[in-house]
């Protein structure tokens, strides 16, 4: 049976066509998904067969889904996928804000969970912590600087 | 006192709208003020007139008294309602409003000043037999003094901003080694949030419940209480879920707390709507915490169970009317719950979530009240509180109210930002909450991103299966191959046979 990798919000599943759900339609978009003895109301919000992207609403929550079929997987396995970037170790701003305090300096050793920078946003101080053990490579911002969401603040290797 | 003709609401978002609704019902005109970021906001269009008051940052707009008074002058407003937050508990502002010959819909500058400073408040009520939590009588600036007080009270202790409120400027300290850092952080937050770095120390009551009493006081000496609200579901000392009445009170306790709250209000000559906050320990002893000299975010649950429109009462009181009811006229009907829908991600430690409400369809039904200041397509501004709206339900019993809230959450369509709605569902399904046996540690003790994942596992997997099923159906309809063309098949087999 063909195996499909499904990305949904921040999760992934490996599913086959045998993992079944039955869908009852109340019109074109309103549905009740029946899984075992559970009935979950929802709706089909967006369908893009070509891109294999779907948006499904279940009990009010919207799930953004991307399906990877076995062919796509093969392409990935053959090495065309992005190689994992070192950038995942960087501390990035989770939202726009203001740099309040920088707690580390280049060359400093940090451990996972150590606070490294304090951002102010939405009337609160948010202390960001290191994701893992490492050494501070670069501090890309300065105190008092306004930063954007996703902006790299501190590089740790 | 004369009838108010035109109210300028010195606020924004859901509370501005909510105040305007009652004003219009009373036949009073309204003036909205808005910053550049709120130009398209609903409260701007709902008011009879709207005046721009500056750029997005609060300090340059909603907190700028000169701009507010200028807008009042230009619009001919004869009264100002400050809402909550912003200038609502700024005694200088209240005084200034009176000095400008306008009616401030709230208490006097004196009441605000006394109750606005937690140390002054304790001082004011000291002759009125009101139980309080052990703590330092004065502000503390020296670390050595902090150590001494903390040692004499006994850890854990709480460092609190004297000018604080809304959960800001509070730090729990469990051991003396953390004291220095927490003191410095608390003072820093207090300085930047309230312009006053004074902090004091209090005993940290373990397993406390946060229960508050709503009061109304007219200008003729009558003060009544409108029962309690249970506000213990908090994170970072900010309330997320509130309810009225509390599960833990009975008529006797409620009566005692109500009377204590009335004494607190009288101790500062309070006029208007106010809230007296109490900490309740495991033995159901209550201790005065502070008084909030404004309308609170969670006031709707009280309105649901009493049938009283608190904003209407604020306006009538400000006009000099006598309260049209006495304590005996008030009673509790049913049970109300409120979930604050914040633009925060409960999967990511409630980090603020910025984005656009590209899908936004709140539930509508008879027993649901939803106070918000947004519309589909609007962006969540980063300059203000991340509150999108307040989801309130009223039921004949607590069980019914919980069911209705779960139903409301499941019918709330929202996409584009993360919200506390999933968190609400988690809490309302949790035995700890349902039993009523919870305190302000509930979130720390029972909640985690992993547990939230478990709560939504079935939903999520179902959504994935629905998408997969749709995909497979469409695929078979279109009769397109998923496998690569046949001359590639041999290559694939070579790779997969490892």
């Amino acid at each position: 049976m063909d195996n499909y990798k499904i990305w949904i919000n921040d999760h992934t599943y490996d599913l086959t066509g045998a993992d079944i759900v039955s869908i009852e339609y109340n019109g074109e978009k309103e549905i009740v998904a029946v899984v075992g003895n559970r009935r979950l109301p929802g709706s089909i919000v967006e369908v893009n067969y070509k891109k294999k992207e779907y948006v499904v609403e279940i009990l009010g929550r919207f799930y953004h889904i991307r399906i990877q079929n076995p062919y796509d997987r093969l392409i990935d396995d053959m090495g065309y996928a992005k190689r994992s970037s070192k950038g995942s170790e960087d501390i990035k701003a989770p939202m726009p804000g203001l740099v309040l305090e920088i707690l580390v300096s280049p060359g400093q050793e940090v451990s996972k969970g150590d606070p490294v920078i304090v951002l102010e946003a939405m009337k609160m101080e948010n202390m960001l912590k290191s994701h893992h053990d490492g050494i501070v490579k670069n501090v890309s911002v300065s105190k008092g600087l306004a930063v954007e969401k996703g902006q790299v603040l501190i590089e740790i290797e | 006192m004369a009838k108010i003709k035109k109210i300028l609401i010195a606020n924004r978002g859901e509370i501005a709208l909510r105040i305007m609704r009652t004003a219009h019902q009373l036949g009073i005109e309204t003036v909205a003020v808005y910053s550049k970021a709120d130009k398209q906001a609903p409260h701007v269009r709902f008011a009879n007139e709207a005046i721009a008051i500056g750029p997005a940052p609060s300090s340059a707009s909603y907190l700028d008294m000169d701009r507010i008074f200028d807008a009042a002058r230009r619009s001919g407003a004869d009264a100002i309602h400050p809402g909550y937050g912003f200038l609502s508990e700024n005694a200088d502002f209240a005084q200034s409003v009176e000095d400008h010959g306008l009616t401030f819909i709230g208490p006097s500058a004196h009441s605000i000043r006394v109750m606005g400073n937690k140390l002054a408040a304790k001082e004011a009520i000291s002759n009125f037999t009101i139980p309080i939590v052990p703590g330092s009588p004065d502000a503390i600036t020296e670390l050595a003094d902090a150590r001494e007080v903390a040692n004499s009270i006994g850890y854990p202790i709480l460092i609190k901003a004297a000018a604080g409120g809304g959960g800001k400027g509070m730090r729990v300290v469990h051991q003396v080694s953390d004291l220095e850092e927490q003191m410095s952080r608390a003072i820093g937050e207090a300085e930047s949030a309230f312009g006053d770095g004074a902090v004091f120390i209090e005993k940290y009551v373990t397993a406390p419940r946060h229960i508050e009493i709503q009061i109304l006081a007219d200008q003729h000496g009558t003060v009544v209480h409108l029962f309690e609200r249970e506000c213990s579901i908090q994170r970072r000392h900010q309330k997320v879920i509130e309810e009225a009445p509390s599960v833990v009170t009975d008529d006797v306790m409620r009566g005692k707390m109500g009377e204590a709250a009335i004494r607190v209000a009288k101790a500062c000559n309070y006029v208007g709507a106010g809230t007296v906050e109490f900490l309740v320990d495991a033995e159901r002893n209550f201790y005065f915490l502070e008084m909030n000299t404004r309308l609170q975010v969670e006031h709707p649950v009280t309105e649901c169970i009493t049938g009283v429109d608190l904003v209407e009462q604020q306006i009538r009181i400000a006009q000099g009317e006598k309260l049209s009811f006495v304590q005996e006229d008030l009673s509790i009907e049913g049970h109300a719950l409120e979930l604050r829908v914040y633009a925060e991600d409960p999967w990511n430690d409630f980090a603020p979530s910025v984005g656009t409400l590209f899908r936004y369809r709140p539930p509508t039904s008879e027993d649901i009240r939803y106070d918000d200041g947004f519309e589909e397509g609007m962006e969540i501004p980063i300059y203000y509180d991340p509150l999108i709206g307040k989801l309130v339900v009223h039921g004949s019993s607590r069980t019914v109210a919980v069911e209705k809230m779960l139903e409301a959450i499941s019918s709330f369509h929202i996409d584009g930002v993360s919200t506390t709605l999933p968190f609400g569902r988690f809490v309302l399904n949790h035995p700890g909450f349902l039993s009523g046996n919870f305190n302000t540690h509930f979130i720390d003790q029972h909640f985690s991103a992993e547990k939230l994942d478990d709560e939504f596992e079935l939903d999520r997997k179902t959504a994935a299966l629905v998408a997969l099923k749709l995909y497979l159906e469409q695929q078979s309809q279109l009769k397109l191959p998923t496998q690569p063309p046949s001359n590639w098949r041999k290559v694939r087999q070579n790779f997969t046979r490892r």
Side-chain angles (χ1 to χ4, degrees):
Chain A
M1 190 118 245
D2 278 346
N3 230 286
Y4 296 86
K5 188 162 182 172
I6 317 256
W7 280 271
I8 173 167
N9 291 8
D10 290 321
H11 288 71
T12 56
Y13 291 103
D14 274 310
L15 300 169
T16 73
D19 297 307
I20 220 69
V21 62
S22 82
I23 305 175
E24 290 171 16
Y25 287 84
N26 271 333
E28 214 186 276
K29 296 199 162 185
E30 303 286 307
I31 62 167
V32 176
V34 185
V35 190
N37 60 351
R38 293 291 305 273
R39 296 170 61 83
L40 291 100
S43 54
I44 298 167
V45 183
E46 263 177 46
V47 167
N48 190 326
Y49 176 78
K50 267 172 82 171
K51 277 180 150 184
K52 298 191 218 64
E53 285 173 4
Y54 296 80
V55 180
V56 176
E57 172 255 323
I58 298 284
L59 288 170
R61 216 165 133 64
F62 288 80
Y63 295 90
H64 295 249
I65 299 155
R66 187 165 65 83
I67 299 176
Q68 187 192 54
N69 64 29
Y71 183 38
D72 302 321
R73 212 160 194 176
L74 173 65
I75 301 293
D76 270 2
D77 290 348
M78 282 169 69
Y80 285 92
K82 272 199 305 201
R83 52 181 184 83
S84 78
S85 57
K86 273 246 144 204
S88 61
E89 274 91 47
D90 296 340
I91 305 290
K92 297 188 180 137
M95 65 263 179
L98 203 67
V99 177
L100 267 194
E101 251 188 84
I102 300 174
L103 304 168
V104 297
S105 41
Q108 185 174 334
E109 257 185 54
V110 290
S111 307
K112 179 173 171 172
D114 280 353
V116 294
I117 189 167
V118 183
L119 274 195
E120 183 184 277
M122 302 258 207
K123 295 164 71 178
M124 282 220 56
E125 282 191 13
N126 298 278
M127 191 180 297
L128 305 180
K129 301 181 178 159
S130 177
H131 303 309
H132 64 104
D133 299 349
I135 298 179
V136 177
K137 184 168 141 196
N138 188 34
V139 173
S140 322
V141 296
S142 54
K143 187 167 165 171
L145 187 70
V147 297
E148 316 223 317
K149 177 173 175 173
Q151 186 168 339
V152 174
L153 307 171
I154 299 188
E155 293 168 61
I156 301 178
E157 60 185 11
Chain B
M1 283 227 130
K3 267 200 172 314
I4 292 170
K5 298 201 191 71
K6 188 184 277 196
I7 302 175
L8 182 150
I9 291 91
N11 214 298
R12 58 176 298 281
E14 66 90 11
I15 193 65
L17 261 175
R18 184 259 171 276
I19 293 166
M20 289 177 193
R21 274 195 204 104
T22 290
H24 288 185
Q25 274 168 19
L26 294 173
I28 300 174
E29 284 182 33
T30 55
V31 180
V33 294
Y34 62 95
S35 74
K36 199 161 163 207
D38 282 335
K39 201 162 165 198
Q40 306 297 334
H43 81 276
V44 174
R45 280 171 276 133
F46 190 79
N48 297 112
E49 40 190 301
I51 297 179
I53 53 162
S58 312
S59 53
S61 51
Y62 296 102
L63 288 173
D64 189 331
M65 293 192 227
D66 289 335
R67 291 192 192 256
I68 304 282
F69 287 123
D70 185 62
R73 189 184 42 83
R74 284 163 56 192
S75 61
D78 54 353
I80 295 187
H81 194 307
Y84 55 68
F86 290 132
L87 295 165
S88 64
E89 283 178 295
N90 184 317
D92 291 335
F93 179 64
Q95 188 58 58
S96 231
V97 171
E98 297 291 326
D99 293 343
H100 275 81
L102 305 168
T103 302
F104 182 70
I105 302 178
S108 66
H110 163 77
S111 302
I112 296 176
R113 216 179 299 274
V114 167
M115 289 297 158
N117 184 298
K118 297 189 168 118
L119 290 171
K122 287 188 171 184
E123 169 81 45
I125 63 162
S126 55
N127 295 328
F128 286 78
T129 13
I130 296 179
I132 61 167
V133 179
S136 64
D138 299 305
I140 299 183
T141 43
E142 300 299 318
L143 184 59
D145 295 332
R147 281 213 188 94
E148 206 186 294
V149 171
N151 281 331
S152 71
I153 294 177
Y155 287 89
I157 55 131
L158 199 57
I159 307 171
K160 296 170 83 161
K168 285 223 72 182
M170 289 172 61
R171 300 256 158 195
V172 186
V173 186
H174 292 280
Q175 59 214 4
V176 62
S177 53
D178 295 331
L179 187 60
E180 183 166 7
E181 194 212 323
Q182 296 299 338
M183 275 290 285
S184 117
R185 207 158 276 302
I187 292 173
E189 253 185 40
E191 187 66 56
S192 77
F194 314 109
D196 180 359
V199 298
F200 65 102
I201 287 178
E202 237 175 38
K203 173 120 194 84
Y204 184 59
V205 175
T206 50
R209 300 181 82 117
H210 176 128
I211 299 181
E212 58 192 33
I213 302 275
Q214 175 72 52
I215 60 109
L216 277 174
D218 66 17
Q219 295 189 40
H220 304 269
T222 307
V223 186
V224 299
H225 73 84
L226 289 93
F227 318 113
E228 79 276 16
R229 289 186 289 262
E230 165 82 67
C231 306
S232 301
I233 306 295
Q234 306 177 359
R235 44 140 227 110
R236 288 188 214 145
H237 306 289
Q238 283 226 14
K239 304 164 188 170
V240 189
I241 295 177
E242 305 102 341
E243 60 182 309
S246 164
V247 180
V248 86
T249 49
D250 59 15
D251 285 336
V252 172
M253 183 179 174
R254 180 175 295 129
K256 289 200 182 129
M257 290 180 81
E259 277 154 27
I262 289 173
R263 287 202 298 278
V264 170
K266 287 186 170 167
C268 64
N269 296 52
Y270 200 81
V271 163
T275 296
V276 181
E277 294 189 346
F278 295 94
L279 270 190
V280 176
D281 70 15
E283 282 79 55
R284 295 166 83 235
N285 297 313
F286 58 90
Y287 307 98
F288 170 76
L289 203 54
E290 61 182 21
M291 180 171 189
N292 295 321
T293 56
R294 61 171 197 268
L295 189 68
Q296 300 234 173
V297 175
E298 61 271 22
H299 74 273
V301 292
T302 296
E303 295 186 325
C304 282
I305 60 165
T306 58
V308 173
D309 181 331
L310 289 167
V311 171
E312 178 189 339
Q313 295 305 317
Q314 284 183 301
I315 293 172
R316 289 190 186 285
I317 288 168
Q319 286 180 158
E321 293 178 34
K322 282 189 174 177
L323 274 178
S324 61
F325 45 84
V326 293
Q327 190 67 58
E328 290 67 46
D329 295 324
L330 294 162
S331 64
I332 297 176
E333 197 185 301
H335 201 101
L337 279 170
E338 173 182 279
L339 168 65
R340 298 194 192 186
V341 185
Y342 278 118
E344 291 174 342
D345 187 357
W347 269 278
N348 189 14
D349 201 32
F350 296 91
S353 172
V354 288
T356 303
L357 291 169
F358 69 84
R359 275 182 201 107
Y360 182 60
R361 203 161 41 90
T364 47
S365 122
E366 230 176 76
D367 306 301
I368 297 176
R369 169 178 165 175
Y370 182 62
D371 287 7
D372 75 337
F374 282 94
E375 283 167 349
E376 195 170 85
M378 281 177 73
E379 246 183 72
I380 309 284
I382 57 162
Y383 301 95
Y384 318 114
D385 212 86
L387 183 67
I388 300 175
K390 290 143 41 179
L391 188 56
V392 182
V393 299
H394 188 204
S396 53
S397 69
R398 190 172 191 255
T399 310
V400 172
V402 169
E403 258 172 55
K404 290 189 174 172
M405 180 61 90
L406 283 168
E407 171 72 44
I409 291 172
S410 304
S411 337
F412 198 131
H413 288 204
I414 184 165
D415 202 10
V417 290
S418 303
T419 72
T420 46
L421 285 163
F423 172 75
R425 176 171 138 179
F426 171 85
V427 173
L428 291 160
N429 279 319
H430 199 282
F433 178 79
L434 295 171
S435 68
N437 210 357
F438 58 87
N439 54 56
T440 55
H441 297 307
F442 179 87
I443 296 182
D444 290 331
Q445 285 171 346
H446 298 293
F447 176 78
S448 69
E450 289 74 40
K451 290 192 185 146
L452 191 58
D453 261 354
D454 292 342
E455 171 71 36
F456 284 86
E457 172 62 28
L458 179 65
D459 297 38
R460 186 172 47 240
K461 188 149 185 204
T462 301
L465 288 171
V466 166
L468 180 59
K469 184 167 172 127
L470 290 174
Y471 173 73
L472 292 173
E473 277 173 0
Q474 284 177 301
Q475 188 188 81
S476 70
Q477 276 168 23
L478 291 169
K479 295 190 172 72
L480 285 172
T482 51
Q483 292 169 346
S486 60
N487 49 340
W488 282 91
R489 211 168 290 172
K490 284 213 182 94
V491 179
R492 183 181 75 148
Q493 280 165 0
N494 286 334
F495 269 96
T496 52
R497 207 177 286 135
R498 285 192 203 198

